[in-house]
């Protein structure tokens, strides 16, 4: 199965279309099995005590799943999240970036379902699990 | 039923303990029925097209639910989200702040469950619904 | 706002179309604000110890939400659940039926989102909260 | 890592403790990586049209996750589900049993998180995905 956008194309698309998140995310892998996205953790992502916040992890999962879908269907900027469920399971490692490994579970005409597993760089056990449903707008 | 922290106490607590979010949220109501939190929408909360992003809405729900719980049990900074489920139902109104109305559904010794309904200021229909479970650390 | 099916019409529809659940559920209310469905608790719904099982509560929420949607759009047998999130918050009362109070949060052309709050007959505090997204098939 | 209960022990436990579901489920695998549970699909599990119902799939996921946890911690009958999120992605194959492949994501002192992927026997693509959080009672 060919993919529509590789890591380079996804990184270019993010830089171009999503100014607000410029520099925060790096697509490290985009292949038939899914994508890997790195969150470059900085002060704004932290809670008191230096741990990455839940919302920062949710945002990483959202970008990862969006990239996983676009990697398969091309640069559809208007795909939107309709539902998400997230479990926070372990405290992230202080001072480490977070990585989201994402795979698509269903890619329909109208809805796509994907799941991201988030872990600290250098640590295998998942910090968080997030599944999302995206609505895909009709082709023009 | 008395509450442990009112709107003024919650706002002071947020300013003091959560530097990263200073100025973004305002607690407008904290009473026996729950809390209302306002997100002062700014550029950083938007996606291309000017609409508030899913992660910004998730962050608002997280702050609202955290405040609803602290309003009942006092300033327990270490309460953490274990699970969340969010439905994005309507596009927010461009140029309007978002308000989260939050009520507690269960306040146990170990776990609390609450739900936030998010709507655009001036519009009644909900933009998003978010339920969360928080883990409450043991009293020292 | 008129509704398309009232309690009597919904009960007739369930009896006619859903043999497997005949006699288990009773629609007690169907109006503009939503529906109330009763689960006639029997042995098959219980876990050891006599308490209603999680799956039995999930099934009640599913029927309630389906009825709430059909009450608004008419007898569309092919509407299907795409996603659900459920929180189990309190133990149900032994020997009591369960009631699901359900309201629609969004009724779109393609997707509907609704929430059911389940409680034991005679007890106000919710036993469970369940939100679901239903996919509505295109009109022929 | 040793497991506390293998497939034989889990099947014996289910028969003994959960009369209501006798004969419906078969534990086919229980090892360090997780469990596989088969739902012996029968008339009671179907919706009109002959397809397995959402609640029947939720019940399968619940049994699978319960077994996965007990496989690790031993026969703790009082472990209870606190939260679940389920995505229904494809129609099950008519006339086929369902299999749930389940793995534990977190096994804490108080909470466990696991995920079940459900598919029709003989078909690889998942029919449903379900994640659950279980509360583990304190050891006596």
């Amino acid at each position: 199965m060919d993919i529509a956008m590789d890591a380079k194309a996804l990184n270019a698309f993010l830089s171009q279309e999503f100014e607000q998140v410029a520099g925060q995310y790096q697509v490290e892998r985009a292949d038939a099995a899914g994508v890997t996205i790195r969150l470059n953790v900085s002060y704004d992502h932290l809670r008191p005590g230096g741990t990455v916040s839940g919302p920062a992890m949710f945002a990483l999962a959202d970008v990862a799943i969006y990239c996983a879908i676009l990697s398969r269907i091309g640069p559809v900027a208007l795909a939107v999240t309709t539902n998400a469920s997230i479990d926070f399971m372990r405290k992230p490692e202080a001072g480490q970036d977070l990585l989201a490994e994402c795979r698509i579970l269903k890619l329909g005409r109208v809805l796509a379902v994907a799941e991201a597993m988030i872990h600290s760089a250098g640590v295998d056990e998942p910090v968080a699990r997030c599944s999302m449903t995206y609505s895909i707008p009709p082709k023009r």
Side-chain angles (χ1 to χ4, degrees), chain A:
Chain A
M1 175 193 57
D2 281 339
I3 59 173
M5 298 178 79
D6 60 10
K8 185 172 169 189
L10 289 167
N11 281 317
F13 183 79
L14 287 178
S15 300
Q16 199 168 313
E17 298 291 323
F18 291 91
E19 287 180 31
Q20 288 89 349
V21 302
Q24 293 189 40
Y25 305 101
Q26 182 73 17
V27 180
E28 297 198 340
R29 171 189 66 110
D31 57 33
V35 305
T36 302
I37 314 287
R38 173 183 294 262
L39 168 66
N40 300 313
V41 171
S42 72
Y43 173 80
D44 286 339
H45 301 121
L46 303 181
R47 284 276 186 255
T51 186
V52 180
S53 76
M57 287 191 262
F58 180 90
L60 169 59
D62 193 39
V63 170
I65 288 168
Y66 181 66
C67 286
I69 293 169
L70 263 53
S71 182
R72 294 278 291 275
I73 68 175
V76 181
L78 294 176
V80 289
T81 321
T82 54
N83 169 272
S85 164
I86 184 163
D87 293 293
F88 299 103
M89 300 178 296
R90 292 175 181 82
K91 206 166 157 180
E93 285 290 309
Q96 289 292 336
D97 285 340
L98 289 180
L99 294 162
E101 311 282 345
C102 181
R103 57 178 178 153
I104 302 242
L105 297 176
K106 168 187 170 172
L107 189 60
R109 193 177 47 83
V110 176
L111 296 179
V113 180
E115 184 170 62
M117 299 293 299
I118 294 173
H119 65 100
S120 292
V123 182
D124 286 340
E125 288 99 353
V127 160
R129 178 215 73 78
C130 184
S131 44
M132 285 187 176
T133 300
Y134 258 79
S135 165
I136 299 168
K139 291 191 207 303
R140 293 164 193 276

